[in-house]
Amino acid sequence: MARLSIEHLRKVYGEFTAVDDCSIDIADGEFLVLLGPSGCGKTTTLRMVAGFIQPTAGKITIGERDVTTLPPWKRNCGLVFQSYALFPHMTVAENVAFGLEMRKIAPADRAPRVTEALRLVRLTGLDERYPRQLSGGQQQRVALARALAIEPDVLLLDEPLSNLDAKLRQEVRVEIRDLQRKLGLTTIMVTHDQEEALTMADRLVVMEKGMVRQIGTQRELYEKPADRFVAGFIGRSAFLDGAMAEAGRFRSGGGLDISCKATASGPATLALRPERLAIGADAEACANRFPARVEHVSYLGALLDIDVRLTEQDRILLQVPNRPGAAEPKPGDMITIGWAEDAGLVYPREAKA
Amino acid sequence: MSAARLSLGRLALNGAATLSLGFILLPLFFVFWLAFFRQEIPSFPPEGYSLKWFQAAANNKPFVDGFLLSLQVGVSATLIGLVLGVPASLALMRHRIALGPAINTLLLLPLVMPGIVLGTSLYVFQIETEIATGLPVLGSAGGLVAAHSLVVIPWVVKLVTASLAGFDRTIEEAAQNLGAGPWTTFRRVTLPSIRPGLVAGSLFGFVTSFGNLEMSLFLVGPGRTTLPIAILQYLEWKIDPTVAAASVIQIVLIGAAMIITDRYVKLSRVV
């Protein structure tokens, strides 16, 4: 177990920058998730840590060891591949023992460690099976056991759950998390699945277009997104384009005057979380109150999703509790919506390409 | 109506299959039958049956020497074919090589080149080499093995590249991640995965070399005759069933090799 530090990591392929100036510090025993849309550089970053991709610039340190230029077989990272990558011609036990064999551990000493690794992933008794005789979930556990058996300094998980069905994914998610905590393993997981990331991580790194957009806990990312991308990527947000009229006053493209807690100036975007919006009587006390026309209503059981239009250019999604007996708004209805001054987050508008 | 047409189609298909199978098996059947005839001149009906031609074949020195030489040349050529063909296949499948497809075609070319053309070209090449270097090339064992390697390589390349095409490279990465260096990764992970292609390539390469007549005719030296050439020379003087007996032995050996191989590697899946 060790802490892992990534400093100013960069990878360039010809004209294309896959990862740009990525710096992340991971504490000993921390579970860090790299999250982002496909092509954001998260897998490239993971593969650089594992040693399969040589960085163009930057430094990777595991514990006290600078591993930047070390080949993969000298790094002592346990990697669980998305496709599991089990050796098809070896039994489960041989698969798990492979890393120990490479470390020149005597056969007699390997056996108990293989048994222990398989016990950890609850696969006892399947030692002599071949990978093709196992279900997807079992193969996944063998891959995990194989990575754990070498007692890695860092555990790397590359979309480990994406090939499992939804129900199994829930179970394995909890299992991996429990195991990681119990063993105190420093772990990096790559995923594009937001829910997976939010339920498993100690901290998350949101990446986009090769850049780290924000590093933080779930709460930090949701309540204080660093930019418009994070606000849209983690959870849902409604966006109003406009400009800051003065400190504390945002004017939307459709001409709405909105009070907010921002001091920025110039073109900006106001982001609103759907659940921070109120309708009808609940909106009375809000600093910002506007009439709106209901465009679409989705019934979600405990909640209602309502799309409303404030002006020709300003549309908002709101989410309100579905109270029994309360009249459900219908498309075409005029309602009042409102939100508190601190509900709107303002981001300087990115220049349109 | 449609069911009738369907069964008619199936009948035609089965008929065609039976016909082509018969076309392949009939000559084999007659060679086997003939080998047991008692009389010296093959004629129908047989006068009786005997095993004496097998004894004659086993006592025929040119046949025995030819068999041993063909075996040695075949094994050597197969080994050389593997040593050259496997790295070539890996390079072709793994790296973007300039003119990769052209090189691939070139490596497969000896397979489609008529044996006479190949033999003539090699004959000229070996004479020129001999003149240029002063080394004895033409008619030497080395010259023959080199030529036979040429007909083994296409089989190795063809079947090993086919194995590599379906190979998941992440398992190599998995091995490296677990601490295996490049050579150990190749030996422990890559090689076992392409074993079917290796085995089938070696088998077909060996059989091609062992049975090669046309090319070898140009390249053998005095006192160095392969089995197919020994059989051809024998046939120039006699047509008794000794040749049939020698052929039966060859067919049985090759058939056995294929059956044994098929137990470990399903040949129908790689070829």
Side-chain angles (χ1 to χ4, degrees):
Chain A
M1 308 325 116
R3 63 186 285 273
L4 175 78
S5 135
I6 297 170
E7 292 165 62
H8 305 294
L9 203 62
R10 184 178 160 82
K11 180 65 194 178
V12 179
Y13 295 105
E15 298 275 284
F16 175 68
T17 306
V19 174
D20 199 3
D21 196 27
C22 171
S23 294
I24 308 169
D25 263 310
I26 303 150
D28 193 358
E30 187 177 23
F31 195 118
L32 187 96
V33 172
L34 300 182
L35 178 67
S38 57
C40 71
K42 56 191 192 296
T43 300
T44 308
T45 305
L46 188 84
R47 291 175 64 80
M48 283 195 277
V49 173
F52 293 120
I53 297 177
Q54 190 61 43
T56 310
K59 189 174 163 191
I60 302 167
T61 319
I62 299 173
E64 299 303 311
R65 218 155 51 112
D66 180 354
V67 299
T68 315
T69 55
L70 282 185
W73 53 92
K74 290 185 179 160
R75 291 206 180 189
N76 204 32
C77 297
L79 175 52
V80 176
F81 291 82
Q82 186 174 8
S83 62
Y84 315 141
L86 299 178
F87 307 126
H89 56 289
M90 296 185 198
T91 62
V92 167
E94 285 167 348
N95 263 281
V96 177
F98 188 85
L100 302 174
E101 196 187 329
M102 292 304 120
R103 280 161 180 72
K104 311 255 187 297
I105 291 165
D109 300 333
R110 277 179 227 157
R113 286 177 65 175
V114 170
T115 309
E116 172 61 12
L118 288 174
R119 192 190 61 77
L120 280 175
V121 299
R122 300 195 293 113
L123 270 185
T124 308
L126 298 179
D127 307 40
E128 297 311 313
R129 299 268 189 98
Y130 282 90
R132 62 175 177 278
Q133 298 169 312
L134 303 177
S135 71
Q138 289 172 327
Q139 291 186 21
Q140 211 271 346
R141 285 152 198 258
V142 177
L144 190 60
R146 187 175 68 174
L148 294 176
I150 61 171
E151 293 174 3
D153 295 327
V154 183
L155 181 66
L156 306 174
L157 308 168
D158 183 10
E159 307 237 5
L161 308 178
S162 60
N163 286 334
L164 301 177
D165 62 55
K167 190 174 173 297
L168 202 56
R169 208 177 298 166
Q170 300 273 4
E171 285 174 34
V172 177
R173 206 189 267 172
V174 176
E175 275 185 31
I176 290 182
R177 191 66 176 106
D178 286 350
L179 207 55
Q180 184 269 340
R181 282 222 180 96
K182 195 164 81 184
L183 301 175
L185 275 170
T186 309
T187 303
I188 304 181
M189 181 170 89
V190 158
T191 183
H192 64 270
D193 184 325
Q194 200 191 117
E195 192 190 329
E196 195 172 296
L198 292 173
T199 50
M200 292 177 81
D202 287 324
R203 269 194 314 153
L204 301 102
V205 177
V206 180
M207 294 184 74
E208 196 226 354
K209 291 182 185 151
M211 312 266 261
V212 172
R213 289 309 188 105
Q214 190 171 3
I215 304 180
T217 62
Q218 288 81 337
R219 185 176 290 274
E220 284 163 359
L221 294 183
Y222 190 81
E223 293 180 4
K224 294 191 176 61
D227 59 22
R228 190 196 153 131
F229 173 78
V230 179
F233 191 73
I234 304 289
R236 295 190 297 177
S237 290
F239 294 106
L240 297 178
D241 282 336
M244 291 300 290
E246 59 190 82
R249 294 212 75 77
F250 175 87
R251 178 174 277 272
S252 79
L256 300 174
D257 255 324
I258 299 163
S259 62
C260 59
K261 288 253 159 112
T263 52
S265 62
T269 298
L270 184 84
L272 288 164
R273 291 294 186 191
E275 75 281 2
R276 302 271 327 246
L277 300 166
I279 60 168
D282 296 338
E284 295 292 325
C286 294
N288 297 294
R289 265 197 324 276
F290 301 101
R293 181 181 299 277
V294 176
E295 296 215 311
H296 188 80
V297 180
S298 303
Y299 178 84
L300 301 175
L303 298 167
L304 293 175
D305 268 5
I306 307 171
D307 282 300
V308 299
R309 186 178 287 282
L310 300 170
T311 70
E312 198 56 41
Q313 290 169 49
D314 302 318
R315 293 184 62 199
I316 282 183
L317 172 71
L318 45 121
Q319 194 169 58
V320 294
N322 183 21
R323 294 203 191 99
E328 189 179 311
K330 301 204 171 30
D333 288 356
M334 287 302 293
I335 57 171
T336 303
I337 67 163
W339 62 88
E341 206 172 27
D342 64 355
L345 299 169
V346 174
Y347 301 105
R349 192 121 50 97
E350 287 154 32
K352 289 249 162 66
Chain B
M1 172 69 194
S2 80
R5 188 175 291 171
L6 200 72
S7 69
L8 204 69
R10 170 152 291 178
L11 210 67
L13 191 67
N14 287 345
T18 312
L19 209 65
S20 24
L21 201 63
F23 193 72
I24 295 168
L25 289 180
L26 212 59
L28 286 178
F29 168 74
F30 274 105
V31 168
F32 268 80
W33 195 15
L34 206 68
F36 294 96
F37 281 19
R38 196 164 63 203
Q39 73 268 39
E40 195 162 324
I41 307 295
S43 63
F44 286 93
E47 289 166 11
Y49 294 99
S50 154
L51 288 173
K52 66 177 171 184
W53 304 115
F54 285 92
Q55 206 181 355
N59 289 332
N60 184 313
K61 193 165 180 325
F63 282 8
V64 175
D65 290 349
F67 176 79
L68 291 176
L69 181 68
S70 286
L71 199 65
Q72 284 166 16
V73 171
V75 169
S76 315
T78 304
L79 289 177
I80 293 173
L82 284 173
V83 168
L84 296 176
V86 174
S89 311
L90 282 167
L92 284 170
M93 294 300 286
R94 295 279 169 94
H95 305 286
R96 284 176 187 278
I97 301 175
L99 299 175
I103 294 171
N104 195 16
T105 310
L106 202 66
L107 287 171
L108 298 180
L109 206 57
L111 209 62
V112 290
M113 185 92 83
I116 295 286
V117 177
L118 204 57
T120 317
S121 330
L122 284 168
Y123 179 72
V124 174
F125 173 71
Q126 294 197 354
I127 287 179
E128 292 292 339
T129 313
E130 216 168 282
I131 294 168
T133 61
L135 298 167
V137 180
L138 189 65
S140 71
L144 193 60
V145 168
H148 276 239
S149 309
L150 210 59
V151 296
V152 174
I153 287 172
W155 283 109
V156 173
V157 170
K158 200 174 154 70
L159 295 171
V160 171
T161 47
S163 291
L164 281 171
F167 175 68
D168 175 15
R169 290 204 67 185
T170 56
I171 72 167
E172 290 182 339
E173 292 185 344
Q176 298 196 344
N177 177 254
L178 293 165
W183 171 242
T184 312
T185 301
F186 178 72
R187 201 170 48 80
R188 294 290 309 275
V189 172
T190 316
L191 212 52
S193 302
I194 61 170
R195 188 171 288 148
L198 279 179
V199 172
S202 311
L203 183 70
F204 287 104
F206 175 79
V207 171
T208 308
S209 157
F210 192 84
N212 183 282
L213 171 68
E214 304 95 322
M215 183 185 75
S216 307
L217 273 173
F218 290 87
L219 306 172
V220 289
R224 197 174 274 127
T225 311
T226 63
L227 184 57
I229 296 176
I231 290 175
L232 184 72
Q233 286 172 346
Y234 187 86
L235 276 173
E236 284 174 18
W237 305 102
K238 280 183 181 174
I239 51 163
D240 67 38
T242 311
V243 169
S247 304
V248 166
I249 296 170
Q250 274 190 71
I251 294 166
V252 167
L253 286 179
I254 290 171
M258 289 190 78
I259 289 168
I260 292 168
T261 309
D262 199 61
R263 287 195 58 150
Y264 298 99
V265 177
K266 286 274 159 258
L267 290 177
S268 55
R269 251 189 243 162
V270 256
V271 185

